[in-house]
Amino acid sequence: MANFDWKKLQNGSDIRGIALEGVADEPVNLTEEVANILGKAFVTWLKKQLGQPASNLTISVGRDSRLSGPKLMTAVMEGISTTGCRVYDFDMASTPAMFMSTISQKFACDAAIMLTASHLPFNRNGFKFFTAKGGLDKQDISEILKLASENVFETVATPGEIEKLDFISVYADSLVNKVREPVNDSQNYEQPLLGLKIIVDAGNGAGGFYADKVLKTLGADTKGSQFIDPDGRFPNHIPNPENEEAMASIRQAVLEHKADLGIIFDTDVDRAAVVTNSGKELNRNRLIALISAIVLQEHPGSTIVTDSITSDGLTEFIEQDLKGIHHRFKRGYKNVINESMRLNQEGQESWLAIETSGHAALKENYFLDDGAYLVTKLIINLALLRLEGKGLNDLITTLKEPQESQEYRLKINRQNFKECGEQVIEKLQEFASKQTDWQVVPNNYEGMRISCKSPQEKGWLLLRLSLHDPVMPLNIESNVEGGVSQIVNRIFDFFKPFEFLDLSAFKKDI
């Protein structure tokens, strides 16, 4: 491991790597040996944080359905065990459940590790780390990788015990009780969802438990649920609520089975989206609007923190219709969560941090991005609205949606891609300032957002740098037919002089 590049495994506040062969030009760098060392490095980091010897510590480990999961999980648990630390093997689990094990009265683990790479292809895998304070930050991951690169650890003659336990059932029970208490149906307290047909699409990830252990327990009819068996090949569709094919699949299932609600999870269940009985997909801006409506009923005037690409119609809905505050921040689920937490610390009440990808974290739930908890909040309101003869759609009837929207991803063909990207953004500000009908939107926290005010455009564009890749995403929305094309043609001429930009993404529209 002397020449191994540990830094390449860092992906923001997670560790991600290539765990299986089978994809051209993607050599394996997340091996069992690497996993074993990472387990030891995490214990070493944790001992320093808590001021405790390894023999006093307990770490839980879980995984999603990826094919590489079992071997990597065994390796990381063995690495942890060699330090004298006790290990709980939770086997198949969700990312939110792993965090909850650190605050569970029954288990109270000192830390947790989830093996997952979210919706990425089958050959990838990774690690998410938690303590009772929440998910680790970028700096924490850097420190753990530094310890791994040094590969100097204290081990013991008698390894710590590895004990296999069922925690996902404990976690599911907490969600069941979350529904029973507020619905409080005196006739069907144990099964308040009797009469509702709710189906789940787990995408062959780790979310299948929600159909059996939560919905069925609460009395819901779940016939028609699909792809709930774990399969790390992901043979049916990508487990991703942002994926068009995945959303079309759950939409078709809802309509075919005449369900009251359809639920779709990503691989490790930290993201979700839903489909109503009419087939309306509630993801991205619609999902943010829906949970904002619920949160602002419970906490009037609260600030809703979102990422940077949310629509103008969403801002109007939150601030004018719901009388809340919309704080549009940066992309990245940790960014929106940390910003919401910062606002609360400074005295500005913020009960929701949510990204358009479906990561939603509520103050009431430890600011944990938990797809199953989010869906449970929606189901509570579905059950209560049913008593009034209404549905979830009724909460967002006044949300104004754009006529058109499009994202273009422009590759930067330079090693110093961040510097190049910043140069483009700086020049765009100059370009926009010279346009009589374009206006730079104030309070930009990421990239450059421009309001396009001409009658032929009536929309906005946002150009920013990707968090990790040599790419500049360009998001455009318009409230008039043909408006996106108008904006694209106008900004294409701006991009032409930058030789390091790959403009092929515009090929079909120019």
Side-chain angles (χ1 to χ4, degrees):
M1 304 298 293
N3 298 318
F4 185 76
D5 189 352
W6 288 91
K7 290 181 180 179
K8 276 194 174 181
L9 293 176
Q10 181 156 10
N11 184 64
S13 57
D14 299 339
I15 283 174
R16 285 185 182 171
I18 300 162
L20 292 176
E21 296 178 350
V23 178
D25 301 319
E26 293 193 3
V28 172
N29 64 350
L30 187 55
T31 63
E32 292 172 63
E33 182 181 7
V34 168
N36 186 281
I37 293 171
L38 285 171
K40 298 173 186 176
F42 182 49
V43 174
T44 304
W45 176 88
L46 187 63
K47 287 193 301 182
K48 182 179 177 182
Q49 295 295 312
L50 301 182
Q52 295 283 338
S55 58
N56 287 359
L57 301 176
T58 300
I59 297 176
S60 58
V61 184
R63 63 178 178 87
D64 66 17
S65 59
R66 291 176 181 278
L67 299 176
S68 58
K71 287 186 177 180
L72 289 178
M73 185 168 169
T74 297
V76 75
M77 289 192 299
E78 287 177 350
I80 293 169
S81 173
T82 62
T83 68
C85 181
R86 182 186 184 91
V87 184
Y88 287 155
D89 173 358
F90 287 165
D91 198 28
M92 190 72 62
S94 72
T95 293
M98 295 311 299
F99 165 73
M100 295 304 290
S101 73
T102 68
I103 59 171
S104 164
Q105 292 183 352
K106 184 174 180 179
F107 292 89
C109 301
D110 296 288
I113 301 174
M114 176 69 178
L115 277 75
T116 182
S118 188
H119 61 281
L120 293 180
F122 78 97
N123 65 324
R124 307 295 182 94
N125 214 328
F127 295 79
K128 292 185 177 181
F129 300 91
F130 298 94
T131 68
K133 294 180 180 179
L136 269 58
D137 287 322
K138 184 177 180 180
Q139 181 58 40
D140 300 321
I141 301 301
S142 297
E143 291 177 19
I144 290 169
L145 289 172
K146 184 175 184 296
L147 289 168
S149 69
E150 294 168 355
N151 199 10
V152 178
F153 307 109
E154 294 180 7
T155 58
V156 295
T158 304
E161 183 181 0
I162 300 176
E163 183 179 2
K164 192 161 188 174
L165 297 168
D166 175 16
F167 183 72
I168 200 68
S169 294
V170 176
Y171 169 72
D173 285 345
S174 71
L175 297 176
V176 167
N177 291 327
K178 180 73 182 173
V179 176
R180 283 177 179 155
E181 292 168 9
V183 176
N184 196 22
D185 187 330
S186 58
Q187 294 182 332
N188 296 300
Y189 180 81
E190 293 294 314
Q191 295 189 311
L193 302 186
L194 279 172
L196 281 172
K197 187 176 186 65
I198 305 175
I199 60 178
V200 173
D201 182 330
N204 301 113
F209 77 92
Y210 197 85
D212 291 334
K213 295 181 180 292
V214 180
L215 295 176
K216 278 187 180 180
T217 303
L218 290 166
D221 178 358
T222 62
K223 291 174 185 172
S225 291
Q226 58 187 20
F227 319 138
I228 60 175
D229 294 327
D231 185 340
R233 297 168 298 169
F234 308 126
N236 295 290
H237 62 67
I238 297 170
N240 182 3
E242 284 194 292
N243 180 265
E244 290 185 10
E245 181 187 359
M247 290 304 297
S249 180
I250 183 62
R251 181 178 184 275
Q252 180 182 349
V254 166
L255 295 173
E256 179 182 339
H257 295 281
K258 296 180 171 58
D260 296 292
L261 191 71
I263 299 165
I264 184 167
F265 293 117
D266 76 339
T267 320
D268 60 326
V269 203
D270 59 2
R271 294 187 295 134
V274 297
V275 175
T276 65
N277 60 349
S278 65
K280 187 171 186 177
E281 299 174 9
L282 301 183
N283 61 350
R284 300 180 67 82
N285 282 284
R286 290 175 183 171
L287 181 64
I288 297 173
L290 181 58
I291 188 60
S292 294
I294 292 168
V295 167
L296 286 164
Q297 283 178 351
E298 299 170 345
H299 307 284
S302 174
T303 296
I304 309 298
V305 180
T306 73
D307 62 347
S308 59
I309 66 171
T310 48
S311 70
D312 290 344
L314 179 66
T315 301
E316 183 178 326
F317 179 71
I318 290 173
E319 299 196 339
Q320 296 184 22
D321 298 358
L322 302 180
K323 308 303 179 187
I325 299 170
H326 182 198
H327 180 53
R328 191 186 283 124
F329 196 54
K330 300 177 182 178
R331 289 283 278 175
Y333 72 96
K334 286 291 286 184
N335 286 331
V336 295
I337 290 172
N338 289 342
E339 179 68 359
S340 187
M341 294 173 69
R342 182 189 69 80
L343 292 176
N344 280 290
Q345 290 167 359
E346 294 182 358
Q348 182 175 342
E349 193 174 74
S350 177
W351 284 82
L352 173 65
I354 182 166
E355 204 184 21
T356 48
S357 64
H359 283 285
L362 289 100
K363 182 180 178 181
E364 68 190 55
N365 191 42
Y366 308 95
F367 275 116
L368 173 67
D369 52 319
D370 185 344
Y373 189 90
L374 170 68
V375 164
T376 300
K377 288 279 287 187
L378 302 185
I379 287 173
I380 292 167
N381 281 269
L382 175 66
L384 294 172
L385 286 165
R386 179 177 60 155
L387 300 176
E388 304 174 24
K390 297 179 180 179
L392 292 176
N393 280 332
D394 292 302
L395 296 180
I396 57 171
T397 53
T398 60
L399 173 66
K400 294 177 183 176
E401 301 192 67
Q403 184 88 4
E404 300 176 342
S405 63
Q406 188 67 48
E407 180 176 272
Y408 303 89
R409 297 180 67 81
L410 315 180
K411 294 181 181 178
I412 304 174
N413 298 316
R414 287 284 194 280
Q415 286 291 110
N416 59 334
F417 65 89
K418 287 189 177 180
E419 181 182 327
C420 292
E422 288 166 359
Q423 177 189 342
V424 175
I425 290 170
E426 183 181 338
K427 292 293 184 183
L428 178 58
Q429 184 171 13
E430 294 177 14
F431 177 79
S433 67
K434 296 175 182 177
Q435 312 302 307
T436 57
D437 53 1
W438 279 16
Q439 181 180 352
V440 175
V441 177
N443 301 323
N444 267 306
Y445 293 94
E446 180 177 47
M448 185 60 53
R449 188 178 179 113
I450 297 169
S451 178
C452 307
K453 296 180 176 295
S454 79
Q456 295 78 28
E457 295 171 351
K458 284 190 178 179
W460 56 269
L461 66 88
L462 172 68
L463 181 70
R464 60 186 177 86
L465 262 169
S466 171
L467 295 176
H468 309 295
D469 302 317
V471 171
M472 298 196 78
L474 172 67
N475 292 86
I476 303 177
E477 286 192 1
S478 173
N479 295 319
V480 295
E481 187 175 351
V484 167
S485 179
Q486 289 283 341
I487 296 170
V488 165
N489 278 283
R490 196 163 168 184
I491 200 170
F492 183 76
D493 290 333
F494 162 77
F495 286 130
K496 280 182 181 178
F498 299 101
E499 296 179 355
F500 53 77
L501 283 181
D502 180 354
L503 303 182
S504 59
F506 292 120
K507 189 175 295 183
K508 67 180 188 302
D509 297 323
I510 296 294

